[in-house]
Amino acid sequence: MLVEGYVLKVGDKIDTDVIIPAKYLVYTDPAVLAQHVFEPIDPEFPKKASKGTILIAGKAFGMGSSREQAAIALKAAGVRAILAESFARIFYRNAVNNGLPVMVVPNINESGVNEGDYAQVHIETGEVIIGSKVLKGRPLSGIVLEIVKSGGLLNFLMLKRR
C-alpha cells in the first residue's frame, strides 16, 4: 500500500483539542469538521492539506481527549497518512478504525524533511521516501493493515461478513 502527498509538519504533544477544537464536536459531517482542523495553531491548514498531505508530527501526537472526530477531521481535510515519533494510543486506534494510515517513524522531525516536500509512504514495509531521503518506520501489519486497507473498521467488518 503506497500513500503519497506533500508534507505538512506539526510539533510535539499535539492534543486532540488542537486537532479539532471541542466547540466543533456538535457537527457530524466530516467536511464541516475538516474546515476547522488545527484552527488554534494554523487556520490555513485545511486549505494547505486539501491537495493531499502526509502529516509529520513529533512525540505524543493525538494525546488528550479520546475524541474520534480528530481522526475523521484529519482524513476529511486531506491527510493521507500521519508519520510521528509516537502516538497517543487512543488516537492511533481511532485513526486505524477510520482508515487513516499512521506510522511511527523514529526521529522524523530531525530528519531534515521540510514542509512542501513530496513524500511516498510504503505502509507495509515502513519505507518513507522524501526527496533523496529514505527513512524507516514501523510498518503496519496483520489486522491493523487489513483495517486500514479496507478504509476503516466498518468497511473491514462488512467485507469479512460477505
Side-chain angles (χ1 to χ4, degrees):
M1 179 179 185
L2 174 65
V3 181
E4 300 174 275
Y6 293 94
V7 169
L8 290 176
K9 295 176 77 173
V10 293
D12 292 331
K13 298 181 179 176
I14 299 295
D15 68 39
T16 52
D17 201 45
V18 169
I19 297 169
I20 184 73
K23 65 184 175 183
Y24 299 114
L25 298 181
V26 295
Y27 300 104
T28 57
D29 183 347
V32 173
L33 293 171
Q35 296 171 14
H36 303 287
V37 169
F38 291 127
E39 192 172 273
I41 60 172
D42 184 1
E44 297 299 313
F45 183 88
K47 188 182 304 177
K48 292 190 273 185
S50 65
K51 296 175 184 165
T53 293
I54 305 298
L55 183 63
I56 293 181
K59 297 177 177 118
F61 185 83
M63 61 187 252
S65 166
S66 61
R67 64 186 67 154
E68 185 178 16
Q69 295 92 335
I72 292 168
L74 285 166
K75 187 175 178 183
V79 173
R80 294 180 177 157
I82 304 171
L83 312 176
E85 294 182 25
S86 65
F87 291 91
R89 293 306 304 169
I90 191 69
F91 176 84
Y92 185 92
R93 196 65 214 178
N94 284 335
V96 168
N97 286 345
N98 284 286
L100 178 60
V102 284
M103 184 185 304
V104 173
V105 181
N107 303 315
I108 192 163
N109 254 344
E110 292 83 37
S111 64
V113 173
N114 297 306
E115 284 203 357
D117 289 348
Y118 192 75
Q120 295 179 312
V121 181
H122 297 267
I123 301 298
E124 291 160 286
T125 64
E127 186 176 71
V128 179
I129 302 168
I130 305 173
S132 62
K133 297 175 180 61
V134 180
L135 308 170
K136 184 67 179 166
R138 295 186 196 140
L140 303 186
S141 62
I143 195 166
V144 170
L145 179 60
E146 287 185 55
I147 292 170
V148 168
K149 281 181 157 181
S150 299
L153 183 58
L154 185 59
N155 290 343
F156 172 78
L157 293 172
M158 291 174 68
L159 289 170
K160 288 292 182 187
R161 187 173 176 199
R162 292 182 187 163

